[in-house]
């Protein structure tokens, strides 16, 4: 699929983001060897491909967990203790934002803004948004995901 996408776009350097999307959809994440392959085929420096892949939050360089928790860190959420929610989740599951638990069950992500300021603080648990989230409630919701 990745090669097909690049070919369809004539191996143009401007095809980078679409090619990265295709690679992530195909493999689940962007492995280092995949980034090198894309760089060679599009005749781009590896640093540029890696830079684009790490700049945009929707690209992943590691496999995603079975479940995902996204904590909004936008201004409205931050002033209502989103940083404490994130810290509580990090401590409880022994991972940092952007990481996945060793058993592959939970990925924890921080987002700049999820666009639901009136529900601050908000987190998204496997595509289910929970607003006006309490610190202890944040862990309970994550535990509930893991029990399914």
């Amino acid at each position: 699929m990745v090669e097909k996408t690049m070919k369809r776009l004539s191996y143009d350097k401007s095809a980078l983001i679409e090619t990265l999307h295709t690679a992530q959809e195909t493999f689940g994440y962007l492995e280092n060897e995949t980034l090198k392959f894309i760089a060679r085929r599009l005749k781009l420096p590896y640093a540029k491909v890696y830079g684009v892949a790490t700049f945009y939050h929707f690209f992943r360089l590691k496999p995603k967990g079975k479940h995902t928790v996204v904590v909004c860190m936008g201004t409205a959420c931050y002033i209502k203790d989103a940083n404490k929610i994130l810290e509580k989740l990090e401590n409880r599951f022994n991972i940092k934002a952007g990481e996945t638990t060793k058993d592959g069950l939970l990925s924890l992500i921080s987002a700049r803004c999820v666009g639901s300021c009136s529900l601050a603080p908000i987190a998204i648990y496997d595509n289910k948004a929970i607003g006006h989230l309490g610190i202890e409630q944040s862990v309970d919701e994550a535990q509930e995901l893991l029990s399914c």
Side-chain angles (χ1 to χ4, degrees), residues 27 30 35 45-46 49 55 57 76-77 79 124 133:
F27 305 116
L30 300 172
L35 296 177
Y46 171 76
V49 175
F55 178 78
H57 77 277
C77 290
I79 63 173
I124 302 169
L133 189 62

Side-chain angles (χ1 to χ4, degrees), residues 32-101:
N32 196 38
E33 290 306 313
T34 304
L35 296 177
K36 288 178 182 177
F37 171 78
I38 292 169
R40 280 192 307 273
R41 299 300 283 153
L42 294 181
K43 295 183 172 93
L44 287 167
Y46 171 76
K48 169 129 178 126
V49 175
Y50 181 83
V52 169
T54 56
F55 178 78
Y56 293 102
H57 77 277
F58 44 80
F59 291 129
R60 293 183 303 280
L61 301 183
K62 296 178 183 175
K64 187 173 107 174
K66 181 178 178 184
H67 301 284
T68 305
V69 176
V70 179
V71 179
C72 181
M73 297 299 287
T75 304
C77 290
Y78 190 86
I79 63 173
K80 293 188 176 184
D81 293 332
N83 59 322
K84 292 178 183 172
I85 289 170
L86 185 62
E87 184 179 314
K88 184 75 171 183
L89 289 165
E90 288 176 333
N91 290 335
R92 170 58 186 88
F93 296 103
N94 198 28
I95 56 174
K96 295 288 182 192
E99 296 180 345
T100 300
T101 55

Side-chain angles (χ1 to χ4, degrees), residues 76-142:
C77 290
Y78 190 86
I79 63 173
K80 293 188 176 184
D81 293 332
N83 59 322
K84 292 178 183 172
I85 289 170
L86 185 62
E87 184 179 314
K88 184 75 171 183
L89 289 165
E90 288 176 333
N91 290 335
R92 170 58 186 88
F93 296 103
N94 198 28
I95 56 174
K96 295 288 182 192
E99 296 180 345
T100 300
T101 55
K102 289 180 183 176
D103 60 10
L105 289 178
L106 183 71
S107 291
L108 180 60
I109 300 168
S110 67
R112 291 185 186 130
C113 182
V114 299
S116 298
C117 299
S118 64
L119 298 175
I122 186 170
I124 302 169
Y125 293 80
D126 277 355
N127 299 317
K128 177 184 170 193
I130 300 178
H132 307 292
L133 189 62
I135 295 171
E136 293 303 321
Q137 179 191 10
S138 67
V139 172
D140 295 342
E141 294 291 342

